[in-house]
Amino acid sequence: MADVLEIRPQESAEENAQQMTDGFHLVIDALKANDIDTIFGLVGIPITDLARLAQAEGMRFIGFRHEQHAGNAAAIAGYMTQKPGICLTVSAPGFLNGLTALANATTNCFPMILISGSSEREIVDLQQGDYEEMDQLNAAKPYAKAAYRVLHAEDIGIGVARAIRAAVSGRPGGVYLDLPAKLLSQTIDAVKAKQSLVRVIDAAPRQLPAPDSVKRAIDLLKGAKRPLVLLGKGAAYSQADKEIRAFIEKTGIPYLPMSMAKGLLPDTHEQSASAARSFVLAESDVVVLVGARLNWLLSHGKGKTWGKPKQFVQIDISAQEMDSNVAIAAPIVGDIGSCVASLLDQVGDNFPQPPKEWLDAVNEKKNKNLEKMAATLAKSPSPMNFHSALRVLRDIVKQNPDINVVNEGANTLDYARAIIDMYQPRKRFDSGTWGVMGIGMGFAIGAAVTSGKQVLAIEGDSAFGFSGMELETICRYQLPVCTVIFNNNGVYRGTDVNPTGGKDVAPTVFVKDARYDKMIEAFGGIGYNVTTPEELEKALKEAIASGKPTLINAVIDEAAGTESGRLTNLNPQSAAMKK
Ligand code: ADP
Ligand code: TPW
């Protein structure tokens, strides 16, 4: 507390009764003026006092063990709330650690602001070797939607406002805000300071679609024989849950959710075509993309995956996204809520339903695949495999439909996505657009802090390793996070051998039979080691009922995984080496 008070400058005799404040206070005041109540970060020169002050002023400061995970927590908080998540780091190395998360947020269209302290501009620009010297502003630019630096205390209000608006308006993304140490200690007249604060009005204004673009899409849909709707995480982010559901139900069109759009409508919805994914992608003739890009995750909208010729309707807030991979027959540019509402106006109550043959064909394929999957899930091999363990997790999520699910790994990601049904919007957070490993504990902490609800983090053993030290953070804040490690002794699996017979193990192999459950015990959390679905179910139920920090080491057959999960097609060299 003393430190906090010390940084508020004393009045000098010359200043008479004039009240002064400083950059530290103004940054906090500017965030609070915009209803930002949480900072995820890691302290050090020059931002330790900023973190202390945030706490003293009633904000939550969640301190991490590595900035990347603080950044990931901020990013997922932004995705969940449409308010930018804030990550605070020290200069150069701390900033760079946070930059990975900032770049990932920008790539995934998550709104966040990375605020980093920086060293003396005069010394940095002359490259004279300051403490943690780095030209952070320019380093951030290629990886952020916007990057700003504030040099004068009176500009802090406008700088924070600009960062907020840049993060959430239009296509959301990561914003970098550079705060030199000198700025934080600058003093300024308190009245002038107060007047310089900006409360951002309507940070992400609605963007209404052009009526003719809506009509073009409706005309195309009316002529469709085999229509399909594809929901992406932009649709989940937009929080237009009711409009999207009404559009799908009124048009009767089968839909596919991308992984983070699962639960926007419950995965058990009768119009969900998830279990017939390959079939509907290949066979459809008109596809409506709602907040989903035709990137690698959708095979760029062409090739064998997409089979028969088709026409696309695309709803996106970014006009530039149109025609990025294939021609878009009916682009609708605007925010998803407004676009879908405009479509709904045209759809009315008597929209022509898709031909019966199409719906029957989709249902037939879906039922066949569901039966096949049920047979696979019913098996109980020893040791456990991905499927028998995921059957248990699927049932737990069904019993706890408001649980937040975090998911990363290769096989662990691909199988969990396919097997675990989601029931509510914005409850599934995963490796996203980059297929990045390392989001696990950061997303889990961000989701737990933001929602105040239980998190289930489903992690490959390799994936977990990227953020494992944050177990201490989870225990320190007593967050209701249950982490389940699919432990198959390595990256993808644990059976590779060094072809030379030398003493180093193969590049994909870890220590055999590692006990990840002991890691959480080191910090006072509860660990479980399980080898059967029954043990897994018991541990999970206990863990979730406790609401405490828990970790379940689920021992999986080390031969069960496939290389790169379902991305084998992107890994041709490896396939060739194995021949
Ligand atoms: P997925 O990986 O689930 O397919 P993507 O991240 O590729 O989803 O696509 C999300 C898309 O959603 C982006 O193109 C982004 O511009 C768009 N988007 C995000 N928020 C909105 C919104 N509120 N309104 C319209 N489009 C949005
Ligand atoms: C930042 C490459 C993709 S998937 C994976 C790695 C290392 C781990 C797979 O093993 P895991 O899962 O987690 O044990 P499972 O279920 O197959 O056993 N570095 C980063 N991102 C990526 N994607 C990689 C490396 C990778």
Side-chain angles (χ1 to χ4, degrees):
M1 207 56 194
D3 288 353
V4 173
L5 295 178
E6 269 164 29
I7 60 176
R8 191 184 282 275
Q10 300 294 309
E11 289 163 26
S12 68
E14 294 80 20
E15 282 159 351
N16 241 332
Q18 189 189 19
Q19 277 286 342
M20 299 294 282
T21 186
D22 61 16
F24 285 101
H25 284 83
L26 258 179
V27 172
I28 301 305
D29 291 346
L31 293 172
K32 284 180 70 177
N34 286 286
D35 302 324
I36 290 173
D37 54 13
T38 306
I39 296 178
F40 304 95
L42 205 165
V43 298
I45 297 170
I47 52 104
T48 312
D49 279 336
L50 197 57
R52 285 200 185 104
L53 184 63
Q55 194 170 54
E57 298 278 334
M59 292 180 82
R60 242 188 134 183
F61 182 84
I62 307 290
F64 282 69
R65 305 300 294 260
H66 188 290
E67 292 87 348
Q68 187 180 320
H69 313 308
N72 283 328
I76 214 62
Y79 171 73
M80 293 168 80
T81 60
Q82 297 184 333
K83 262 194 329 196
I86 307 291
C87 174
L88 182 64
T89 80
V90 300
S91 32
F95 155 79
L96 280 175
N97 286 343
L99 189 58
T100 306
L102 187 74
N104 190 55
T106 305
T107 301
N108 282 279
C109 315
F110 299 155
M112 73 169 278
I113 303 173
L114 174 67
I115 302 179
S116 299
S118 59
S119 41
E120 302 296 334
R121 282 263 43 84
E122 295 80 352
I123 302 179
V124 173
D125 290 348
L126 273 171
Q127 299 177 24
Q128 292 173 315
D130 203 358
Y131 168 71
E132 295 191 346
E133 174 183 299
M134 189 180 197
D135 183 1
Q136 294 165 203
L137 185 69
N138 280 312
K141 277 181 184 165
Y143 308 107
K145 186 178 166 194
Y148 306 112
R149 175 163 50 226
V150 184
L151 290 177
H152 304 291
E154 63 262 34
D155 291 333
I156 287 174
I158 213 75
V160 168
R162 213 156 152 60
I164 292 171
R165 196 176 281 285
V168 296
S169 63
R171 171 182 279 176
V175 175
Y176 175 60
L177 188 61
D178 193 84
L179 302 184
K182 250 193 192 167
L183 170 83
L184 294 172
S185 52
Q186 259 178 43
T187 55
I188 172 175
D189 172 78
V191 175
K192 225 170 105 191
K194 197 162 180 215
Q195 287 164 349
S196 74
L197 294 177
V198 177
R199 183 174 166 84
V200 179
I201 309 294
D202 194 10
R206 286 196 306 149
Q207 288 184 221
L208 305 184
D212 55 331
S213 72
V214 176
K215 181 169 183 308
R216 192 182 294 120
I218 289 286
D219 289 347
L220 191 58
L221 270 178
K222 279 186 177 156
K225 299 270 174 300
R226 299 180 306 280
L228 174 70
V229 172
L230 232 154
L231 303 174
K233 56 171 126 60
Y237 174 79
S238 74
Q239 299 192 14
D241 309 341
K242 275 201 197 102
E243 291 88 343
I244 290 170
R245 186 170 186 149
F247 175 72
I248 286 173
E249 291 181 345
K250 286 196 169 172
T251 57
I253 302 175
Y255 74 94
L256 272 184
M258 297 298 287
S259 70
M260 283 179 59
K262 278 166 68 74
L264 184 41
L265 281 79
D267 280 337
T268 46
H269 194 283
E270 61 175 5
Q271 282 171 258
S272 167
S274 286
R277 188 173 194 274
S278 310
F279 177 78
V280 291
L281 288 179
E283 295 294 319
S284 52
D285 66 346
V286 175
V287 178
V288 185
L289 299 161
V290 188
R293 287 169 287 185
L294 285 175
N295 55 19
W296 70 281
L297 287 160
L298 284 169
S299 308
H300 304 283
K302 53 197 169 194
K304 227 172 80 198
T305 306
W306 288 91
K308 296 199 171 136
K310 58 207 73 212
Q311 291 185 291
F312 290 98
V313 175
Q314 183 160 23
I315 304 178
D316 206 291
I317 203 153
S318 163
Q320 249 183 304
E321 190 53 41
M322 307 299 157
D323 310 317
S324 57
N325 285 267
V326 294
I328 300 299
I332 309 181
V333 176
D335 72 279
I336 287 168
S338 302
C339 294
V340 177
S342 299
L343 282 171
L344 265 176
D345 281 347
Q346 304 284 317
V347 163
D349 288 326
N350 301 307
F351 198 73
Q353 297 295 291
K356 185 168 177 311
E357 307 86 79
W358 171 236
L359 299 182
D360 287 349
V362 175
N363 278 332
E364 191 187 319
K365 192 75 196 170
K366 182 173 153 181
N367 292 336
K368 222 188 251 168
N369 286 344
L370 284 174
E371 269 169 39
K372 248 199 260 170
M373 181 57 98
T376 310
L377 290 176
K379 291 182 191 147
S380 247
S382 179
M384 271 195 298
N385 63 10
F386 287 96
H387 290 85
S388 58
L390 283 167
R391 180 186 66 216
V392 178
L393 295 186
R394 177 200 61 182
D395 293 345
I396 289 289
V397 173
K398 190 174 180 185
Q399 290 154 22
N400 300 274
D402 65 345
I403 203 164
N404 296 288
V405 172
V406 171
N407 189 197
E408 61 176 337
N411 296 276
T412 307
L413 177 73
D414 292 339
Y415 290 129
R417 181 180 57 228
I419 292 168
I420 298 178
D421 286 330
M422 299 301 297
Y423 301 88
Q424 295 179 8
R426 297 170 294 284
K427 293 286 182 183
R428 191 187 146 83
F429 316 111
D430 66 26
S431 302
T433 304
W434 265 346
V436 69
M437 297 300 113
I439 48 88
M441 298 302 101
F443 277 10
I445 294 166
V449 167
T450 305
S451 69
K453 294 218 164 83
Q454 181 70 41
V455 175
L456 176 63
I458 307 169
E459 301 275 310
D461 50 344
S462 162
F464 170 72
F466 290 74
S467 64
M469 193 62 203
E470 301 300 342
L471 283 181
E472 190 276 329
T473 310
I474 291 171
C475 290
R476 185 167 11 111
Y477 293 100
Q478 282 296 298
L479 297 173
V481 176
C482 173
T483 304
V484 180
I485 313 277
F486 277 60
N487 187 356
N488 61 356
N489 294 342
V491 180
Y492 312 129
R493 58 171 175 258
T495 48
D496 276 6
V497 286
N498 177 343
T500 69
K503 75 176 169 48
D504 290 344
V505 297
T508 56
V509 165
F510 292 158
V511 164
K512 298 274 180 212
D513 307 323
R515 291 287 302 274
Y516 294 99
D517 50 311
K518 303 265 185 206
M519 281 177 69
I520 199 162
E521 287 172 2
F523 306 116
I526 305 165
Y528 301 88
N529 184 51
V530 304
T531 58
T532 65
E534 294 71 31
E535 286 172 5
L536 175 57
E537 185 183 350
K538 185 167 177 284
L540 262 172
K541 285 192 166 154
E542 232 177 80
I544 289 171
S546 78
K548 294 210 166 103
T550 50
L551 186 145
I552 303 175
N553 183 55
V555 180
I556 301 288
D557 183 355
E558 63 172 4
T562 52
E563 175 110 3
S564 307
R566 289 179 57 187
L567 295 187
T568 316
N569 62 322
L570 296 183
N571 204 2
Q573 306 87 326
S574 171
M577 271 177 77
K578 290 219 160 71
K579 279 204 177 132

